[in-house]
Amino acid sequence: MIRKAFKKKSSGSKLDKFIEKYNLPREYLSINRKSVSRGVLVGLFWGFVPMPMQMVAVMAMTPFLRFNVPVAISMVWLSNPFTMPPMYYMEYLTGNLILGKEGIEDIELTMEWFSANWDAIVVPLYTGAAFYSIVVSSLVYFLINRLWIASVKKEKSEKDKKRRKLKNKLFSFKPSHTHSIQEDESKSDEK
């Protein structure tokens, strides 16, 4: 039903003029299962990586993968200034778990602490980030694909039901009079 959320634009729309003016591939803005699910995959992948300019990394992927760029950029913003500390802490803990390390106990949110402990943080943080970038973004990609396919099948079956119901309604003839054909034949025999 996601397709219903995005209205189809007419051929003379502002979006089409923008695409023609800047000679952009239509896939960068198209709304279909492959384009949207790839956009979510790319956006979540870079959203989990602790780095500056994640949106630039998304844009750098456009020549290699065809995906919906606005969807990908919006997925990157799942890691925003409010969600970054818990995300990166979760990635750090996961990285320590994967590497079998203890980790640092007394964590402070100051620049001095981070610069003093950067060597102990960086490997577990990026190990956890790699895990979440690959695993979570892939799972969400497959989930969106399956949900989209199920949604299309459900919509098609609903249309088929309506079509059959309308067909049955149109082709079912119910006479308005109550007499039967046998009565008509008996009257004609009497004459």
Side-chain angles (χ1 to χ4, degrees):
M1 307 300 171
I2 194 169
R3 293 176 294 143
K4 289 183 179 181
F6 299 101
K7 300 277 185 192
K8 289 191 175 185
K9 302 291 182 186
S10 64
S11 61
S13 71
K14 292 180 183 179
L15 180 63
D16 288 336
K17 290 177 185 176
F18 179 80
I19 290 172
E20 288 175 20
K21 181 179 178 182
Y22 294 104
N23 198 22
L24 296 172
R26 186 162 284 287
E27 292 86 16
Y28 293 167
L29 300 169
S30 65
I31 307 295
N32 59 46
R33 178 179 57 87
K34 289 180 181 180
S35 182
V36 170
S37 58
R38 285 180 190 158
V40 169
L41 174 75
V42 170
L44 283 178
F45 179 85
W46 289 111
F48 278 109
V49 177
M51 63 180 266
M53 299 186 292
Q54 294 167 325
M55 291 185 291
V56 174
V58 167
M59 295 305 292
M61 297 287 295
T62 56
F64 307 108
L65 281 174
R66 300 292 179 145
F67 57 89
N68 187 302
V69 176
V71 168
I73 289 175
S74 66
M75 290 293 107
V76 165
W77 275 97
L78 287 177
S79 66
N80 58 57
F82 298 109
T83 61
M84 278 181 191
M87 278 178 63
Y88 296 161
Y89 183 66
M90 175 184 64
E91 289 173 354
Y92 172 73
L93 293 176
T94 304
N96 279 325
L97 183 69
I98 291 170
L99 296 172
K101 291 185 175 183
E102 287 287 322
I104 300 172
E105 299 261 338
D106 298 327
I107 297 174
E108 297 176 20
L109 296 177
T110 61
M111 289 306 292
E112 295 85 25
W113 185 88
F114 278 110
S115 60
N117 294 301
W118 180 250
D119 293 338
I121 296 172
V122 70
V123 173
L125 176 66
Y126 280 97
T127 302
F131 172 78
Y132 285 109
S133 289
I134 294 168
V135 172
V136 172
S137 62
S138 297
L139 287 174
V140 172
Y141 169 79
F142 289 117
L143 179 69
I144 287 175
N145 267 315
R146 294 295 164 213
L147 289 174
W148 195 299
I149 291 168
S151 172
V152 169
K153 285 181 181 178
K154 182 180 177 186
E155 188 177 328
K156 186 177 183 226
S157 70
E158 288 174 0
K159 281 184 181 179
D160 288 343
K161 272 185 189 176
K162 286 181 183 178
R163 196 173 294 129
R164 281 193 301 265
K165 189 175 180 181
L166 183 62
K167 184 179 176 183
N168 289 339
K169 198 177 207 182
L170 288 174
F171 292 111
S172 63
F173 176 72
K174 294 181 183 176
S176 60
H177 55 285
T178 56
H179 69 277
S180 67
I181 296 174
Q182 291 175 346
E183 290 176 4
D184 286 342
E185 287 176 357
S186 65
K187 287 183 182 177
S188 63
D189 289 339
E190 289 174 8
K191 291 182 184 180

